[in-house]
Amino acid sequence: MQSLNSLSTFGSHPKEFDPRQVKPVLLNLTTIIEWYLKYKDTQTISKVKTEEAKPDIEKLVDDKDLSRKPNKNIIMLFSGLLLIVAIVIVLLFVFDIIGVKKQTKEPEKSIAVLPFENLSSDEEQTWFSDGITDVIINQLSKISDLRVLSRTSTLKYAEKEEKKSIPEIGEELGVNYLIEGTVQRQENKMRISVQLIRALNEGHIWAEVYDREWKDIFDVQSDIAQRIAEELKSVLTPEEEEQIEKSQTNNPEAYNLYLQGRFFWFKRTEEGLKKSIEYFEKSAAIDPDYALAYAGLANAYFIQAWWGGIRCWKDGLKLKNLH
């Protein structure tokens, strides 16, 4: 029979425990129990023979009383089985042989991109921070495994009076992760700092600072989206990777003008729309194949026509009431 002391060689850590090592242990336990039961049976038979040699006075015991006494062999057998079951359960759960692990629900991959802060000395560079925020939202939205909030949901947090803690913002927006960052640009040099934060406890998951030239803006934006997806364990499909890496234009200057047009377009003012049209037209002139520039023009003209129609309707209503 294998020595039980060999258990000490099975490994000092549950993860090193080999399920095949349980079998010899159980066999040893079974052998011990069988030997013990056989020994008890032998002792019982010996006792019976001794009792037969005694006077008949000992046989005056009432058979009815004997029938009421439980069978010791059955009790011992039942106890032995319970012992084996108990040992097996302890081995399975304590040593995690069957791979029992705590099941923890993975938090939803919901993200809100907070407005990036402009650190440039020139206030006119605000269009750059707004543009980067918008682009990162669009890039992450292409990943089906992520739930990304729209830009309008986070605009209010750009204001000074709306400064709140990360957990408060996460709770208000109903997201588990937040992205915040800063941008700085001087001529053709730029610096983009990005952080991925767990909203619950403000834990920093990932952070990166990109010191690049403006011509590298497309690579930077693509890398940010892919790194965030990687940190959140999101597997991108080949189609999603292609969409993220694909750029609508290869001309940095056309893209620069487009971002400025988007900045003024978001103001939703008459003056802002006029400026946005100017920038969209310049962008399309530099790159005639730049579809986003034409889309920006279409949106700006549509809003102008809508507002013009409303204004005409209001003017007509006023004239009608005068009569």
Side-chain angles (χ1 to χ4, degrees), residues 250-277:
N250 294 322
N251 191 312
E253 183 57 30
Y255 182 64
N256 183 66
L257 293 168
Y258 168 76
L259 289 181
Q260 294 182 69
R262 289 281 292 180
F263 172 74
F264 288 106
W265 181 83
F266 270 113
K267 290 183 175 296
R268 295 294 199 278
T269 62
E270 185 174 357
E271 182 181 357
L273 285 174
K274 289 181 179 179
K275 285 189 175 182
S276 70
I277 290 174

Side-chain angles (χ1 to χ4, degrees), residues 11-261:
S12 59
H13 195 279
K15 292 183 179 179
E16 299 173 358
F17 199 92
D18 189 346
R20 293 173 295 181
Q21 296 170 343
V22 178
K23 186 174 180 180
V25 176
L26 296 181
L27 289 176
N28 288 337
L29 291 173
T30 304
T31 303
I32 293 173
I33 294 172
E34 289 178 351
W35 173 85
Y36 180 70
L37 293 177
K38 183 177 180 182
Y39 172 77
K40 293 297 293 184
D41 289 341
T42 304
Q43 291 295 100
T44 303
I45 294 173
S46 176
K47 185 176 181 180
V48 171
K49 290 181 178 180
T50 303
E51 293 295 332
E52 289 177 352
K54 291 183 179 181
D56 294 340
I57 297 175
E58 299 293 332
K59 297 181 179 180
L60 296 177
V61 180
D62 191 353
D63 293 339
K64 186 176 181 180
D65 293 336
L66 289 173
S67 63
R68 292 177 180 175
K69 293 182 179 181
N71 191 315
K72 293 182 178 180
N73 291 340
I74 296 177
I75 293 176
M76 293 174 58
L77 179 60
F78 184 70
S79 301
L81 291 175
L82 286 179
L83 178 62
I84 294 175
V85 172
I87 292 175
V88 171
I89 291 175
V90 170
L91 291 174
L92 292 180
F93 286 93
V94 174
F95 293 98
D96 198 20
I97 296 173
I98 60 175
V100 177
K101 297 180 179 178
K102 293 182 180 178
Q103 299 296 327
T104 55
K105 185 178 180 181
E106 183 181 357
E108 180 192 31
K109 298 173 184 177
S110 50
I111 302 177
V113 182
L114 301 179
F116 277 44
E117 183 180 358
N118 175 35
L119 299 182
S120 302
S121 57
D122 188 358
E123 288 295 330
E124 292 185 359
Q125 294 292 330
T126 304
W127 63 265
F128 179 49
S129 59
D130 285 3
I132 293 299
T133 304
D134 193 34
V135 169
I136 292 177
I137 291 175
N138 291 336
Q139 290 282 63
L140 293 176
S141 299
K142 298 173 183 177
I143 304 174
S144 59
D145 194 34
L146 305 179
R147 181 173 71 87
V148 185
L149 267 61
S150 64
R151 184 173 184 266
T152 54
S153 301
T154 60
L155 275 177
K156 63 179 182 179
Y157 297 106
E159 303 298 331
K160 298 287 185 180
E161 57 272 15
E162 288 293 338
K163 291 295 182 182
K164 296 184 178 181
S165 67
I166 294 297
E168 288 176 332
I169 297 175
E171 185 177 359
E172 286 184 359
L173 298 177
V175 295
N176 293 317
Y177 303 97
L178 292 171
I179 297 173
E180 65 176 8
T182 60
V183 297
Q184 189 173 4
R185 183 181 177 186
Q186 186 174 9
E187 296 180 355
N188 290 327
K189 300 290 184 180
M190 66 175 181
R191 166 175 287 188
I192 301 177
S193 175
V194 191
Q195 298 182 78
L196 174 62
I197 307 171
R198 186 177 289 104
L200 182 62
N201 56 5
E202 297 190 63
H204 284 67
I205 301 175
W206 168 77
E208 187 65 73
V209 176
Y210 297 89
D211 285 313
R212 304 286 182 83
E213 294 185 1
W214 176 247
K215 63 182 180 65
D216 300 322
I217 184 61
F218 305 117
D219 294 335
V220 171
Q221 292 172 166
S222 175
D223 185 70
I224 291 174
Q226 294 188 37
R227 291 290 298 276
I228 291 174
E230 179 182 343
E231 292 297 330
L232 295 182
K233 306 292 189 297
S234 296
V235 180
L236 303 182
T237 64
E239 292 77 12
E240 290 171 345
E241 288 185 1
E242 183 180 358
Q243 290 180 0
I244 291 175
E245 294 175 356
K246 182 179 179 181
S247 176
Q248 297 290 336
T249 180
N250 294 322
N251 191 312
E253 183 57 30
Y255 182 64
N256 183 66
L257 293 168
Y258 168 76
L259 289 181
Q260 294 182 69

Side-chain angles (χ1 to χ4, degrees), residues 250-317:
N250 294 322
N251 191 312
E253 183 57 30
Y255 182 64
N256 183 66
L257 293 168
Y258 168 76
L259 289 181
Q260 294 182 69
R262 289 281 292 180
F263 172 74
F264 288 106
W265 181 83
F266 270 113
K267 290 183 175 296
R268 295 294 199 278
T269 62
E270 185 174 357
E271 182 181 357
L273 285 174
K274 289 181 179 179
K275 285 189 175 182
S276 70
I277 290 174
E278 293 177 6
Y279 283 110
F280 288 144
E281 288 178 342
K282 291 179 180 179
S283 177
I286 294 177
D287 185 359
D289 296 327
Y290 194 11
L292 288 180
Y294 294 105
L297 280 172
N299 286 332
Y301 281 125
F302 173 78
I303 294 176
Q304 275 192 334
W306 176 261
W307 284 353
I310 292 177
R311 189 179 295 109
C312 291
W313 177 79
K314 288 183 177 179
D315 292 343
L317 185 61

